[in-house]
Amino acid sequence: MKNRDVAKLTDQYVAQTYGRYPIALVRGKGARVWDADGKEYIDFLAGIAVNSLGHCHPAVVRAIQQQAKTLIHVSNLYHIPPQSELARELCRHSFADRVFFCNSGAEANEAAIKLARRYGGEHLGGKHEILTAQNSFHGRTLATLTATGQEKVRAGYDPLPAGFRQIPYNDLAAAEDAIDANKTVGIMIEPIQGEGGVHVPDDAYMKGLRDLCDRRAILLIFDEVQTGMGRTGKLFGYEHFGVAPDIMTLAKALAGGVPMGAMLAREKVAKSFGPGSHASTFGGNPLACSAALAVMRTLITGGVLRSSIKTGKYFAHALEKFKDKFPFVRGVRGKGLILGLELDIEGAKIVDECMKEGLLLNCTAYKILRFVPPLTITNKEIDRGLAILERVLARI
């Protein structure tokens, strides 16, 4: 089938929850993908920060093939060897003591919300309210869209669950003022806001949040669904700020493209979950865990994490040059390979025009071009993609 044929089928039978571009991607290798008509693209989006090792990385493909020939799925009623190994590796390289596995970022954040409330019920006199940030994004399930600090995500789903309030991002005084001594159980924050426009908070804000949560005896929860697993140049985004949370969520890049989420927690909090208190049928199954183990080993021992720091600096430096060439480019922000180019104009048309020339990228918050390419992308591929972007910016 060609692009047009696939689009026709999608339009007829698939729920219309996405505004889709008129191409069907059928093959990928590294930082390049091809559509059903055979056209090649440089991929600066990577499944929205999912394909961190690029498309079809040999280590991930090998792990999936080997596991698929052995055992694809069993219930969490039994022990699962790759799940145990992955949990050990995640704890060994983070602040956490225990891991709950699920299938997506929203599901991971649901688990974090439930765990925080259960902890509040057991240890904090029934506190249940969670503070989240304006412009945040935490998912599309009913609880996580309520936690999300964007009205457009919540619109049309009233009545929403109680127990969430939004505070300004990167404003420590506002966070302290918002804490209700009788209700607030925790603060849930993205170390870098991705969907909200690639906003990077101050070091002092993140350190202050940790201190604030300690002083008020409430939980600090980091949503690292987008920033975790090497996206910022470190394995987890919180490492940039010298603070660690009580609960953290992961998904997107965790299993290199196989759907997977995880919630990590310190032992004092994690033990509020017991048998029967929470579950996920597919969470942590052998196939997803084997893929995730391959991702972790490649990031850490394969040198990808280390090399991505240099690549991120190269990418950011190249983007900075656009400020001198185009008056509507305001600046560059981000860390590692989660970068945003802030514009004075809306970016949707730029995304469309880049796609026509063979470059896939994304616009978020209307005026921020977001770049989350594979961590394995080469400088040559970055140059090729940015040459397309520059041509488009010159005529827009």
Side-chain angles (χ1 to χ4, degrees), residues 48-254:
I48 312 184
V50 168
N51 301 105
S52 58
L53 300 183
H55 296 275
C56 300
H57 189 281
V60 178
V61 171
R62 193 162 49 243
I64 292 171
Q65 287 176 331
Q66 187 172 341
Q67 188 60 52
K69 288 190 292 187
T70 308
L71 187 68
I72 293 177
H73 176 79
V74 290
S75 169
N76 278 297
L77 292 173
Y78 310 100
H79 294 282
I80 301 171
Q83 181 186 110
S84 305
E85 289 183 58
L86 178 60
R88 179 191 62 196
E89 291 306 302
L90 287 169
C91 290
R92 180 181 288 173
H93 293 283
S94 75
F95 69 95
D97 301 303
R98 293 191 182 274
V99 185
F100 170 80
F101 290 108
C102 49
N103 306 293
S104 68
E107 198 180 341
N109 284 332
E110 284 274 353
I113 292 165
K114 289 180 69 175
L115 179 61
R117 287 190 171 187
R118 204 168 175 93
Y119 178 83
E122 291 179 352
H123 302 283
L124 301 177
K127 292 180 182 178
H128 62 279
E129 180 187 65
I130 295 175
L131 303 178
T132 63
Q134 295 168 359
N135 293 318
S136 62
F137 183 83
H138 299 294
R140 301 277 186 177
T141 63
L142 203 55
T144 59
L145 70 84
T146 310
T148 293
Q150 300 182 45
E151 284 297 329
K152 65 180 182 181
V153 175
R154 297 197 292 264
Y157 295 106
D158 292 326
L160 299 173
F164 298 94
R165 275 190 296 133
Q166 277 74 50
I167 55 177
Y169 192 60
N170 204 28
D171 186 336
L172 189 59
E176 181 150 22
D177 289 344
I179 293 173
D180 186 319
N182 298 313
K183 294 181 179 179
T184 305
V185 70
I187 299 175
M188 187 174 185
I189 292 287
E190 298 158 280
I192 295 175
Q193 287 189 334
E195 189 69 24
V198 193
H199 294 288
V200 183
D202 301 330
D203 288 0
Y205 174 68
M206 297 296 280
K207 287 183 171 66
L209 277 184
R210 177 70 272 178
D211 177 65
L212 175 60
C213 290
D214 289 341
R215 284 191 287 108
R216 303 295 291 268
I218 61 174
L219 301 175
L220 181 59
I221 305 166
F222 284 164
D223 176 344
E224 295 237 24
V225 167
Q226 188 161 151
T227 54
M229 302 307 293
R231 176 53 56 190
T232 66
K234 294 184 181 292
L235 192 57
F236 307 112
Y238 73 78
E239 297 177 70
H240 288 283
F241 304 99
V243 298
D246 301 298
I247 301 173
M248 176 176 73
T249 56
L250 301 171
K252 288 191 177 291
L254 182 55

